[in-house]
Amino acid sequence: RDLSRALQGDSQGGGAQQDARDENGETAAERLEAKRRLARLLAKCCHACPLPCLEVIVAQVESYGESMAAPIVEALRYLTPFGHDVLTYVVLTRLAKGGREKFKEDGTNVADWVEALAALVGLLARKFPKEVETKAIAQYVLNQLKCDQTVDLVVLRRLLKETDGVMHVDDISDNQVEMLAGGNMLKVSGLLKGERTQQMRLASRALRD
């Protein structure tokens, strides 16, 4: 029955995809509207009590890892400029707060909660280039370097990756080294640089400014 329903949807053309219903009987338009409604509700809660709400949100990202960063960024689409300032403060406070190891037990790999916060910072800077205070984040990394704390460079690395498409490659082959002498298309083909979208160009410009 599900197969025949899918075949009927394909035969009805492009508009049928939006009318197709999932297991809960909802169409894509209904799911999108539900997400927007929840995002507006979340924005209202964060506007009324920004610090407690955003602390809980950031803690959830730390607990569930990088996979939680992207949905959280989408849910914060209606966050006010003041809310973004508070969110930046919460993230930097969590990064600077002592009492937790930023490396795993092997002493080499960065802890998952640091990677998760770095992913959150990068995605926020790409999604909301005008609202996120990237200067404060870069200044934090610089201050940590002055204290010989290099682990926070993972935040800057993710920030550059999401806003400018700069990729971190551990092992570069000879062919990739030769590709570095070419243009952007050649670098993208060699997996040395991500393809830049219009949104990333705006984020990169905001980071440079």
Side-chain angles (χ1 to χ4, degrees):
R1 186 172 55 183
D2 294 338
L3 179 60
S4 63
R5 186 182 307 165
L7 292 175
Q8 290 176 1
D10 291 339
S11 63
Q12 291 175 357
Q17 186 175 1
Q18 294 184 356
D19 296 333
R21 297 181 179 273
D22 60 3
E23 298 177 353
N24 298 324
E26 295 180 341
T27 63
E30 291 173 345
R31 292 195 299 271
L32 181 60
E33 182 58 31
K35 291 179 181 178
R36 290 176 176 174
R37 184 171 63 252
L38 292 175
R40 293 189 185 98
L41 180 60
L42 180 61
K44 290 180 180 179
C45 294
C46 292
H47 184 70
C49 303
L51 194 57
C53 291
L54 293 172
E55 283 180 342
V56 172
I57 290 174
V58 173
Q60 290 295 312
V61 174
E62 291 180 355
S63 300
Y64 290 95
E66 295 185 43
S67 59
M68 181 61 71
I72 288 296
V73 171
E74 286 296 325
L76 295 176
R77 64 174 67 184
Y78 299 114
L79 196 65
T80 62
F82 175 70
H84 279 286
D85 289 342
V86 176
L87 179 58
T88 303
Y89 166 78
V90 171
V91 171
L92 293 180
T93 301
R94 302 286 292 185
L95 286 171
K97 185 177 180 181
R100 292 189 296 178
E101 290 293 335
K102 293 186 176 181
F103 286 101
K104 295 182 179 179
E105 294 181 356
D106 56 11
T108 303
N109 296 313
V110 180
D112 293 336
W113 68 272
V114 179
E115 292 280 5
L117 290 184
L120 179 64
V121 168
L123 292 174
L124 284 171
R126 185 178 67 178
K127 184 75 173 180
F128 313 106
K130 296 182 180 179
E131 289 82 4
V132 177
E133 188 60 45
T134 53
K135 290 182 180 179
I137 299 172
Q139 186 63 50
Y140 163 77
V141 176
L142 180 61
N143 293 340
Q144 290 295 99
L145 289 176
K146 292 179 180 179
C147 299
D148 297 329
Q149 298 293 329
T150 59
V151 64
D152 293 286
L153 282 174
V154 67
V155 178
L156 183 60
R157 182 187 69 187
R158 195 58 182 259
L159 193 62
L160 293 175
K161 175 185 176 182
E162 298 295 341
T163 59
D164 203 32
V166 178
M167 306 293 289
H168 175 72
V169 182
D170 293 324
D171 189 12
I172 301 179
S173 64
D174 294 337
N175 290 334
Q176 288 176 316
V177 172
E178 294 178 358
M179 288 180 179
L180 287 174
N184 288 329
M185 291 300 297
L186 195 59
K187 293 177 182 178
V188 171
S189 301
L191 301 178
L192 296 170
K193 189 174 184 179
E195 187 174 359
R196 296 184 66 188
T197 61
Q198 180 62 27
Q199 193 175 37
M200 292 175 67
R201 291 188 182 94
L202 294 175
S204 178
R205 191 178 301 116
L207 181 61
R208 289 196 304 267
D209 295 341

